[in-house]
Amino acid sequence: MKSTSLHIILASLAAVAVCVALYLVFFVAPTEATLGIVQKIFYFHVASAMNMSLAFGVCAIAGAVYLLAKSDKWRKRADALGVATAEAGVMLGAMVMVTGPLWAKVAWGTYWTWEPRLTLSLMVFLLFVAYLALRAYAGSDAFGRSIAAGLAILGLPGLYFIRVAVERWGGAHPQVIYKGGLSHPAMRQAFFASIAAMLLVSASLVVLRFLIERRRQRLDELFLEADKIFG
């Protein structure tokens, strides 16, 4: 299957999944008794956070492949995948950083507390923002790209600590999934539909961005070849 066909399929599935998720969240899942309508932010916040971690994890793995691969072809593919997943992850991270404080204002009475999971999420988010800035500044410089790849790998421990932050260091961050907070079947349906929809949207964007980056790499190669011939 060609990459362009894969993107079309993913984009189509994502559009359907988003519509299904929105319907389940707002018209099927009941309103939570304590937080009211604000609780529905949970479906988008958690789905964004889980897919953000997935995107950043793939970016870190791509960084490791970039550093270890001997083939120039695989290094270029890993670099393109790293850029694509980092950009998707930063987009998802921005959603996490916006929806989290909106929920916290109602639940905790303040938009932000230096709670372990929140703080670690912000740090990892900023780390991959720095990765994108460094990668953009490096351009075609191999050394700069290697430094950016190493920076992405540093995000892996942060992703792990986000996962275990509440269990290890406490904090007020709710553990709705693990503590049985989704007791109503319709809530569980909306939750899993939201995760699936966000995953398909993210995958569609990653594939599209990967294709764009690969074509940009090819244009750079053609430019260098033309420069050797006509320069």
Side-chain angles (χ1 to χ4, degrees):
M1 182 185 296
K2 293 183 178 179
S3 298
T4 50
S5 300
L6 176 61
H7 173 254
I8 292 172
I9 292 172
L10 286 173
S12 301
L13 291 174
V16 174
V18 167
C19 293
V20 171
L22 289 173
Y23 174 75
L24 291 175
V25 168
F26 289 106
F27 298 102
V28 177
T31 302
E32 204 271 333
T34 304
L35 295 176
I37 192 67
V38 175
Q39 182 269 342
K40 294 186 183 294
I41 292 176
F42 160 84
Y43 300 106
F44 306 101
H45 175 73
V46 177
S48 299
M50 294 178 71
N51 284 285
M52 175 195 75
S53 296
L54 177 60
F56 286 159
V58 173
C59 179
I61 294 171
V65 172
Y66 180 85
L67 293 176
L68 297 175
K70 302 299 182 182
S71 169
D72 187 58
K73 180 180 71 172
W74 280 105
R75 285 169 63 87
K76 288 181 177 179
R77 287 179 177 177
D79 180 62
L81 181 61
V83 171
T85 50
E87 290 186 0
V90 166
M91 175 201 71
L92 293 164
M95 294 178 64
V96 172
M97 292 298 110
V98 170
T99 55
L102 289 175
W103 180 91
K105 178 60 177 177
V106 176
W108 299 338
T110 181
Y111 287 109
W112 185 265
T113 64
W114 294 101
E115 193 264 352
R117 181 168 287 176
L118 289 176
T119 306
L120 285 167
S121 297
L122 177 62
M123 291 173 61
V124 170
F125 171 73
L126 293 176
L127 177 69
F128 281 92
V129 170
Y131 163 86
L132 288 176
L134 179 58
R135 174 60 185 75
Y137 179 78
S140 59
D141 179 63
F143 179 74
R145 291 184 178 185
S146 297
I147 297 298
L151 189 63
I153 295 172
L154 290 177
L156 278 177
L159 293 172
Y160 168 75
F161 286 124
I162 288 173
R163 168 65 182 80
V164 301
V166 177
E167 292 85 351
R168 285 180 175 268
W169 302 299
H173 203 285
Q175 301 185 72
V176 177
I177 303 171
Y178 306 108
K179 299 297 183 180
L182 298 175
S183 57
H184 197 285
M187 286 184 171
R188 290 195 293 271
Q189 292 174 4
F191 173 68
F192 290 117
S194 299
I195 293 176
M198 199 66 72
L199 177 62
L200 287 168
V201 169
S202 303
S204 175
L205 292 175
V206 166
V207 170
L208 178 60
R209 185 64 182 89
F210 177 82
L211 291 173
I212 292 173
E213 186 64 19
R214 289 290 289 160
R215 279 157 178 72
R216 188 199 62 76
Q217 290 175 351
R218 181 56 182 158
L219 283 175
D220 287 346
E221 292 171 1
L222 292 173
F223 177 80
L224 291 174
E225 291 175 6
D227 186 59
K228 289 179 181 179
I229 296 173
F230 302 106

